[in-house]
Amino acid sequence: FLKRRLSDFFAIDFLTTDWYEKYFPPEWKRQIPFTIEDLCSAVKDGTIKDNWPDSLKSYVSRVHALGLDRNVKADYSLHENKLEKDIMIGMNVKKVKETAQLSKLIHDICSNNNITHILDLGCGQGYLSTVLAFQFKYSVIGWDADPHQTSGATQRAKRIANLLSLHGHQIADG
């Protein structure tokens, strides 16, 4: 489990396979009988117990450090990426923070590798897609298996484009 990349897993595998038995390191299961709910709680809270193996302690502390604070203040100027107010339509403060950080990371990768087109798989309501398209000017295709999500994303993108146009921004066709 720890040696495989997250991209190697399919969400359906977690629902149809006993991944706890299949992927958890044996030393974790031998020494500590706990459930996935216990592990999720430990990661969320950053709780580490003395009797845990070093590999589990390391895993919990590393994963806990990756989480974003859910009680963030309304600071939209994160990591030199101030989101346009019009692009933030429908986003709560946490979503703004996540999208600001992730869009900056994607922008850095794209600009360093001359990438101009992005495919956002599982785009949901298109929060990240719209930031990448309207703020960073990438050609973005958002895809989601749920037609309700893609319909919402399309309507949201149209509304953002209209607002940006009203406020004097040049909007590319498409």
Side-chain angles (χ1 to χ4, degrees):
F1 176 73
L2 296 177
K3 294 179 181 161
R4 293 181 65 191
R5 295 185 326 248
L6 185 59
S7 62
D8 291 340
F9 291 96
F10 293 98
I12 195 71
D13 290 345
F14 290 101
L15 300 173
T16 60
T17 309
D18 188 1
W19 60 273
Y20 177 83
E21 286 299 323
K22 190 172 181 180
Y23 297 112
F24 267 42
E27 66 186 44
W28 294 11
K29 292 186 290 189
R30 275 194 308 271
Q31 294 183 14
I32 304 117
F34 62 93
T35 66
I36 186 56
E37 290 80 14
D38 296 334
L39 179 61
C40 289
S41 179
V43 167
K44 179 181 170 227
D45 301 333
T47 305
I48 296 174
K49 298 191 178 177
D50 291 336
N51 66 327
W52 287 359
D54 289 340
S55 62
L56 178 57
K57 291 177 186 177
S58 174
Y59 175 79
V60 168
S61 63
R62 287 174 44 210
V63 173
H64 177 72
L66 295 173
L68 294 175
D69 184 6
R70 291 186 174 272
N71 300 311
V72 295
K73 295 179 183 171
D75 177 11
Y76 303 123
S77 57
L78 302 162
H79 298 285
E80 304 167 10
N81 182 16
K82 186 171 192 250
L83 298 182
E84 286 280 340
K85 186 171 178 65
D86 294 333
I87 298 173
M88 294 185 294
I89 291 172
M91 292 189 205
N92 61 31
V93 175
K94 180 179 178 285
K95 183 60 71 179
V96 169
K97 182 176 181 180
E98 292 169 345
T99 305
Q101 290 177 339
L102 188 54
S103 64
K104 175 69 169 105
L105 173 67
I106 292 169
H107 173 64
D108 290 347
I109 292 168
C110 290
S111 62
N112 288 334
N113 293 284
N114 298 317
I115 296 169
T116 59
H117 292 69
I118 297 171
L119 175 61
D120 183 358
L121 296 173
C123 68
Q125 290 290 315
Y127 299 123
L128 180 60
S129 297
T130 53
V131 172
L132 293 169
F134 291 116
Q135 184 149 333
F136 291 105
K137 311 299 183 213
Y138 291 106
S139 177
V140 180
I141 295 174
W143 181 90
D144 198 285
D146 183 349
H148 179 72
Q149 294 285 2
T150 48
S151 175
T154 300
Q155 294 305 314
R156 193 172 161 279
K158 286 178 185 176
R159 186 169 175 211
I160 291 169
N162 288 337
L163 284 170
L164 289 171
S165 292
L166 284 173
H167 295 131
H169 295 273
Q170 194 69 20
I171 306 298
D173 291 335

